[in-house]
Amino acid sequence: MAASKTSTTIQSLQVGNEILELVASYDKPLKFNEIYEKTKITKSNLYKYLNTLTQIGMLYRDKETGLYTLGSKLVEYGMKAINRENMIERVTPFLQEINRTCKNTVLLTTWSHNGPMVVKIINSLQGLNIGAQIGTFLPIMSATAKVFAAFMEEHLIREWKQQQLDKLDEEQRHRLESEILIVRKNAISFAKEPLVPSISSIAFPVFNFEKRLLAVIVVVGFSHTIPTQIDDVTSQYLLKMMKEVSQSFGYKA
């Protein structure tokens, strides 16, 4: 579609971006009809948009279910934008070691304008539904997001944090703020079943030489395998790994 004479923007690009933002805003893959109902784009035009976005890798369509999620190309662009220090390559050996030791799925998450985003997964059990995949944005009640809320520079997370807090009731907000203070003190975070029933998580920060937060590493698994206290053996092991991973980026405790 050509640009409007009365506008300096290209409408078709705006529509395509709105579709991407819609898919990104949901924690689950979307059906064609769900996207249609929420966008009100005519079905013939929507098919063209979705087909184009899928062909260029911005969206991914599962051939068996027909469900749409963010595509690998979009995630790749996002990682290039937020991954300035070859983060994934450098951290992957640590993720693999944690995976072998804890025998649970391990995630690497980094900050994006939409909040914490999963950029790497080392799976433990194939088919285990952890409620997240590469490109998933995690909510503030997750172990990951609590670490970002505790250590990320306030001006970078202010808008996202307020949007997340608006979804919680007063009791939940008070509890969350207390947990964030504890995370800031102990540098480790716990979350009981934040996304999927019976699946819990534990997370720790990765700092650079300026003591700025670069990423968060998360261990996810069945609730009975995930510790909930800092004095647990696994928690202490992950605190040791936090120092080792951060030291690889020049961090000094």
Side-chain angles (χ1 to χ4, degrees), residues 145-152 157 179-181 183-184 213:
K146 284 185 277 190
V147 176
F148 279 104
F151 295 106
M152 202 74 179
I157 67 169
E179 290 178 358
I180 289 173
L181 291 175
V183 173
R184 193 170 292 144
L213 184 64

Side-chain angles (χ1 to χ4, degrees), residues 59-101:
L59 288 178
Y60 171 76
R61 181 180 182 274
D62 188 292
K63 292 182 180 180
E64 294 185 2
T65 64
L67 295 174
Y68 289 90
T69 56
L70 291 180
S72 59
K73 183 61 67 175
L74 188 61
V75 175
E76 177 187 336
Y77 289 157
M79 288 190 292
K80 286 182 177 178
I82 60 181
N83 177 25
R84 303 300 184 190
E85 301 184 59
N86 295 321
M87 171 80 65
I88 297 175
E89 182 178 352
R90 189 179 301 188
V91 171
T92 293
F94 294 104
L95 302 180
Q96 293 169 334
E97 179 182 339
I98 294 170
N99 171 257
R100 289 191 298 268
T101 301

Side-chain angles (χ1 to χ4, degrees), residues 20 23-24 53 56-60 69-83 88 108 110-112 117-121 133-137:
L20 292 175
V23 175
L53 291 170
I56 63 178
M58 295 294 188
L59 288 178
Y60 171 76
T69 56
L70 291 180
S72 59
K73 183 61 67 175
L74 188 61
V75 175
E76 177 187 336
Y77 289 157
M79 288 190 292
K80 286 182 177 178
I82 60 181
N83 177 25
I88 297 175
L108 175 66
T110 54
W111 185 255
S112 76
M117 184 177 77
V118 178
V119 297
K120 178 75 175 182
I121 300 178
Q133 58 188 342
I134 292 179
T136 295
F137 299 106

Side-chain angles (χ1 to χ4, degrees), residues 8-249:
T8 58
T9 61
I10 300 176
Q11 185 179 0
S12 59
L13 290 179
Q14 290 179 319
V15 174
N17 185 63
E18 288 171 2
I19 294 172
L20 292 175
E21 289 189 350
L22 173 67
V23 175
S25 68
Y26 279 80
D27 295 329
K28 65 181 184 67
L30 294 180
K31 300 177 182 177
F32 177 92
N33 284 339
E34 290 177 316
I35 300 174
Y36 167 71
E37 291 172 2
K38 297 178 187 304
T39 62
K40 301 303 181 183
I41 301 171
T42 62
K43 288 189 175 181
S44 59
N45 280 342
L46 180 60
Y47 173 80
K48 294 176 184 177
Y49 276 109
L50 294 177
N51 191 43
T52 301
L53 291 170
T54 300
Q55 284 186 2
I56 63 178
M58 295 294 188
L59 288 178
Y60 171 76
R61 181 180 182 274
D62 188 292
K63 292 182 180 180
E64 294 185 2
T65 64
L67 295 174
Y68 289 90
T69 56
L70 291 180
S72 59
K73 183 61 67 175
L74 188 61
V75 175
E76 177 187 336
Y77 289 157
M79 288 190 292
K80 286 182 177 178
I82 60 181
N83 177 25
R84 303 300 184 190
E85 301 184 59
N86 295 321
M87 171 80 65
I88 297 175
E89 182 178 352
R90 189 179 301 188
V91 171
T92 293
F94 294 104
L95 302 180
Q96 293 169 334
E97 179 182 339
I98 294 170
N99 171 257
R100 289 191 298 268
T101 301
C102 296
K103 296 179 174 58
N104 273 315
T105 297
V106 183
L107 314 179
L108 175 66
T109 64
T110 54
W111 185 255
S112 76
H113 69 282
N114 284 325
M117 184 177 77
V118 178
V119 297
K120 178 75 175 182
I121 300 178
I122 305 293
N123 284 307
S124 178
L125 296 174
Q126 292 295 329
L128 175 64
N129 177 21
I130 62 173
Q133 58 188 342
I134 292 179
T136 295
F137 299 106
L138 300 174
I140 199 166
M141 295 302 288
S142 66
T144 304
K146 284 185 277 190
V147 176
F148 279 104
F151 295 106
M152 202 74 179
E153 296 170 73
E154 180 62 27
H155 72 278
L156 296 176
I157 67 169
R158 185 178 297 113
E159 183 177 351
W160 164 82
K161 184 178 178 182
Q162 188 57 55
Q163 291 174 348
Q164 293 287 306
L165 291 175
D166 288 343
K167 300 176 183 179
L168 307 179
D169 59 38
E170 186 174 356
E171 180 181 347
Q172 289 174 317
R173 287 195 291 269
H174 284 308
R175 187 172 74 250
L176 176 64
E177 292 296 344
S178 297
E179 290 178 358
I180 289 173
L181 291 175
I182 295 172
V183 173
R184 193 170 292 144
K185 175 184 177 181
N186 297 329
I188 197 163
S189 173
F190 307 92
K192 182 175 176 60
E193 305 176 5
L195 299 177
V196 177
S198 302
I199 302 296
S200 295
S201 57
I202 180 172
F204 64 84
V206 177
F207 297 111
N208 68 3
F209 65 98
E210 297 175 312
K211 298 187 178 180
R212 290 185 178 180
L213 184 64
L214 293 178
V216 175
I217 293 177
V218 197
V219 179
V220 184
F222 289 115
S223 296
H224 71 275
T225 68
I226 300 296
T228 58
Q229 301 294 328
I230 191 172
D231 57 358
D232 186 275
V233 173
T234 298
S235 300
Q236 290 299 307
Y237 163 74
L238 293 177
L239 284 171
K240 179 176 73 72
M241 292 304 299
M242 182 271 289
K243 294 179 181 178
E244 290 188 17
V245 179
S246 297
Q247 284 170 357
S248 72
F249 292 96

